[in-house]
Amino acid sequence: MGQSASAHGSSPGGSSPGSSHHRYVTANQSDSVDAQLPLGIFGDKQDYISEIPDECLAIIFQSLSSGDRKRCSLVCRRWFLVEGQSRQRLSLNATADIHAHIPAIFSRFDSVTKLALRCDRKSSSINDEALALISLRCRNLTRLKLRGCRQVTDLGMTFIAKNCKVLKKFSCGSCTFGAEGMNALLDHCSSLEELSVKRLRGVNDGVVAPPIGPGAAASSLKSICLKELYNGLSFGPLIIGSKNLRILKLLRCLGDWDRLLETISYREQNNLVEIHLERLQLSDIGLTAISKCSELEVLHLLKALDCTNAGVVAVAEHCKLLRKLHIDGWRSNRIGDEALIAIAKNSLNLQEFVLIGLNPSSVSMSAIASNCKKLERLALCGSETIGDAEISYIAEKCVALRKLCIKGCHVSDQGIEAFAWGCPNLVKIKVKKCSEVTSDVADWLRARRTFLTVSLDVEEIEVEAVEVSASDAGEQEDGVEYPSSVSRVTNGGSGGAAANADGSSSNNAGRSLPFKSWLGFLGGRSLVACTFGRWLNGNSSSNGVI
């Protein structure tokens, strides 16, 4: 299309620069593309682009990037209309100024089913009236994301709940509505499947927050994610009442979570297959409760200081279907060989294993390498005991291994050389902050295994995890931490407006003093990012582990 149509070409009937055998004519401007079509390609002067049905043109638009869609919509009136009517994803900079333009925006984009509203920290966001107007024009919304909409109250959420009853996914971050608005959403949106709540300040106000849930949505909810909530336990009734819950993520939320996990484990029907726990008040009691989730396949246990070998052993012995396991021991030495040997004996289906801040011995590493025959992705980070001998076990025994990350371990060139013959299916190895590994061995390994990607970082010096204040803490997303002063451009699918990272306010005046001190504790930058997401997506950024 780019070669046969151009918005700014040579004049009608003229010749293109550098071409003597292609002449151009202008297509019919009344109801077709205002472009210049080359003669001689199809053997006639017919405008084939104008004959594309609107339905096919809409499918083409859906396969384009956001920028290409916007540029194509300016080619002619027909393309402008078809592009607007076929757009299902839309991301808007939800400042107060947009209120007057809402009728025009949603008259053009009248088929939107996935909407993102973002407002940066320094701007005033849309209010309840604007949100009510949007809800009336987008009754078919299935996904809604709110970021930094601080002027939206419980009243605005009630409008959304009553007018957008087919919502399946709802996500909010740094908003100020409270339990009443959240309960309205759960009561009216009976098809809700995914709920993500981050820094909901209306719930954080006060010492005791009203209970949230279960509501009509409890029967349909499959995924709940709670992040950085002062009163996260107020969502307890919703979590307990969601009988079909498959994914539960509790990240940096205050409260004693052992009792809640115990309550979940007592349910007759327990469908949980994925659990993420990060920086929680959690002990072996909670892990023992998790061990009763016999269908569990994915577990992330990060920086839970009160968890020991006993809790991990209980999970390993009862959750036989584990495929992905991430453990960050935060160098507390409370999780060690006993837990790892239990994992090696029982988790025979393990495909992805991430160990951070643990100090396993050669015995436990040998057991993992020998027994976990399906292991494809392995990360060993911040360990004082993993050296060349342990790496040699992996190279020799892990025949299914495809991707390996080694960071902050006492590994030398000798250990890396073992991969010249071991791990026949290995496609990528990443070595970072291992001072005894040189660039020479990386070049040597590349020469012997031409299809192996070797990523080596030998210049960085390992830095211990530190705690920073809430004002210095950065925004963390997808395993990479960004300074809070850096703004990023987000693309909401096909449509997109520039916005800050999450629209959260930099003013902490609304937080209570205990919450400030708690965030100071949470602000500690991770020694390593415990996710394979960016690596699996082909992103080789040096910010993440993989």
Side-chain angles (χ1 to χ4, degrees):
M1 184 184 301
Q3 294 178 352
S4 60
S6 173
H8 303 285
S10 55
S11 58
S15 300
S16 60
S19 174
S20 59
H21 61 280
H22 277 165
R23 294 168 36 247
Y24 289 82
V25 295
T26 302
N28 187 351
Q29 298 182 7
S30 61
D31 194 29
S32 62
V33 182
D34 294 336
Q36 295 177 344
L37 304 175
L39 294 180
I41 295 179
F42 301 107
D44 53 37
K45 300 179 181 181
Q46 187 174 356
D47 180 6
Y48 288 96
I49 295 178
S50 297
E51 296 181 358
I52 299 177
D54 289 352
E55 294 80 3
C56 295
L57 191 59
I59 294 175
I60 295 173
F61 284 146
Q62 291 173 3
S63 65
L64 300 178
S65 65
S66 175
D68 289 339
R69 285 193 67 142
K70 287 185 284 188
R71 284 186 285 271
C72 287
S73 69
L74 301 178
V75 170
C76 65
R77 182 178 291 106
R78 177 185 173 228
W79 284 26
F80 183 84
L81 294 175
V82 172
E83 193 278 330
Q85 293 170 356
S86 64
R87 186 185 290 265
Q88 295 181 341
R89 294 175 178 264
L90 188 63
S91 180
L92 297 177
N93 190 5
T95 60
D97 299 338
I98 203 175
H99 190 168
H101 305 287
I102 289 176
I105 292 174
F106 290 97
S107 292
R108 177 187 175 191
F109 304 112
D110 56 359
S111 300
V112 171
T113 59
K114 302 170 186 178
L115 178 64
L117 301 173
R118 297 181 173 90
C119 184
D120 60 41
R121 297 181 178 94
K122 298 181 180 179
S123 302
S124 178
S125 75
I126 59 173
N127 56 18
D128 293 339
E129 184 180 355
L131 195 62
L133 187 57
I134 291 174
S135 69
L136 289 172
R137 291 178 170 270
C138 299
R139 292 182 179 271
N140 293 323
L141 276 184
T142 58
R143 298 185 185 182
L144 176 62
K145 179 184 292 186
L146 303 180
R147 290 291 184 273
C149 297
R150 296 174 296 279
Q151 275 65 50
V152 172
T153 68
D154 290 330
L155 180 61
M157 285 302 301
T158 303
F159 285 125
I160 285 288
K162 292 182 177 179
N163 295 327
C164 304
K165 295 184 178 181
V166 296
L167 270 179
K168 292 186 176 181
K169 297 183 180 180
F170 176 77
S171 171
C172 64
S174 300
C175 296
T176 55
F177 62 88
E180 183 180 345
M182 186 60 66
N183 278 323
L185 184 76
L186 297 172
D187 288 336
H188 292 88
C189 299
S190 58
S191 300
L192 195 65
E193 297 179 356
E194 296 184 17
L195 176 66
S196 178
V197 181
K198 177 181 178 181
R199 289 202 295 266
L200 186 58
R201 298 177 180 177
V203 175
N204 292 337
D205 291 341
V207 178
V208 179
I212 296 176
S219 60
S220 61
L221 268 175
K222 297 179 180 178
S223 173
I224 296 178
C225 177
L226 307 178
K227 187 174 182 180
E228 296 179 12
L229 297 179
Y230 187 90
N231 285 314
L233 283 174
S234 61
F235 284 84
L238 175 64
I239 297 174
I240 296 171
S242 301
K243 306 297 183 182
N244 296 313
L245 193 63
R246 305 279 289 174
I247 301 173
L248 177 62
K249 299 181 180 181
L250 304 174
L251 313 175
R252 290 169 272 175
C253 295
L254 285 186
D256 187 352
W257 292 92
D258 284 338
R259 176 179 293 184
L260 177 67
L261 293 174
E262 277 189 309
T263 305
I264 296 175
S265 67
Y266 293 145
R267 295 188 311 204
E268 294 182 3
Q269 184 179 2
N270 199 325
N271 299 318
L272 281 171
V273 296
E274 184 172 344
I275 299 178
H276 295 231
L277 307 171
E278 180 180 347
R279 295 195 189 185
L280 300 179
Q281 185 178 340
L282 179 74
S283 70
D284 289 340
I285 297 174
L287 289 184
T288 303
I290 290 174
S291 69
K292 297 180 182 180
C293 302
S294 58
E295 297 184 11
L296 191 65
E297 297 180 8
V298 180
L299 175 62
H300 290 197
L301 180 63
L302 311 177
K303 298 180 174 63
L305 291 179
D306 294 329
C307 293
T308 68
N309 283 323
V312 177
V313 169
V315 173
E317 290 180 347
H318 295 90
C319 301
K320 303 287 188 177
L321 302 180
L322 276 177
R323 295 183 299 104
K324 298 181 180 180
L325 180 59
H326 294 200
I327 301 178
D328 186 347
W330 220 0
R331 297 186 176 180
S332 63
N333 290 325
R334 305 194 72 180
I335 300 176
D337 276 357
E338 183 182 351
L340 297 179
I341 291 174
I343 292 170
K345 289 181 178 179
N346 297 279
S347 303
L348 303 182
N349 295 314
L350 201 61
Q351 298 175 6
E352 179 175 305
F353 198 17
V354 176
L355 294 177
I356 306 171
L358 301 185
N359 295 317
S361 69
S362 58
V363 175
S364 58
M365 290 306 302
S366 176
I368 291 172
S370 300
N371 295 345
C372 300
K373 298 296 187 180
K374 298 181 180 180
L375 193 62
E376 296 182 357
R377 298 175 294 277
L378 176 64
L380 305 171
C381 311
S383 175
E384 298 177 355
T385 59
I386 293 179
D388 291 338
E390 289 72 25
I391 296 301
S392 298
Y393 291 142
I394 295 170
E396 180 182 355
K397 300 293 185 180
C398 295
V399 294
L401 196 66
R402 295 179 55 81
K403 297 183 179 181
L404 173 67
C405 174
I406 306 171
K407 180 175 180 180
C409 298
H410 297 292
V411 179
S412 69
D413 288 352
Q414 182 179 354
I416 303 301
E417 287 175 359
F419 293 101
W421 304 277
C423 297
N425 294 304
L426 195 66
V427 296
K428 182 170 183 179
I429 179 173
K430 183 171 184 178
V431 182
K432 190 173 183 180
K433 298 182 181 179
C434 297
S435 58
E436 299 180 25
V437 178
T438 66
S439 57
D440 293 339
V441 73
D443 295 336
W444 178 85
L445 187 57
R446 292 188 190 101
R448 279 155 181 77
R449 297 187 65 168
T450 56
F451 295 102
L452 177 62
T453 300
V454 181
S455 176
L456 178 63
D457 183 358
V458 297
E459 298 178 353
E460 295 190 33
I461 300 176
E462 184 175 0
V463 180
E464 299 289 339
V466 296
E467 294 183 5
V468 296
S469 64
S471 59
D472 294 330
E475 187 69 25
Q476 189 167 353
E477 182 172 290
D478 292 335
V480 180
E481 190 164 346
Y482 298 88
S484 56
S485 60
V486 178
S487 298
R488 290 167 285 149
V489 176
T490 59
N491 183 5
S494 301
N500 266 7
D502 64 355
S504 58
S505 172
S506 59
N507 185 2
N508 295 326
R511 296 181 180 144
S512 60
L513 288 176
F515 189 62
K516 286 184 178 180
S517 60
W518 174 65
L519 275 184
F521 167 74
L522 297 180
R525 299 181 184 272
S526 301
L527 172 67
V528 64
C530 54
T531 180
F532 283 93
R534 290 186 177 274
W535 190 15
L536 296 178
N537 291 329
N539 189 336
S540 58
S541 172
S542 60
N543 289 327
V545 177
I546 297 173

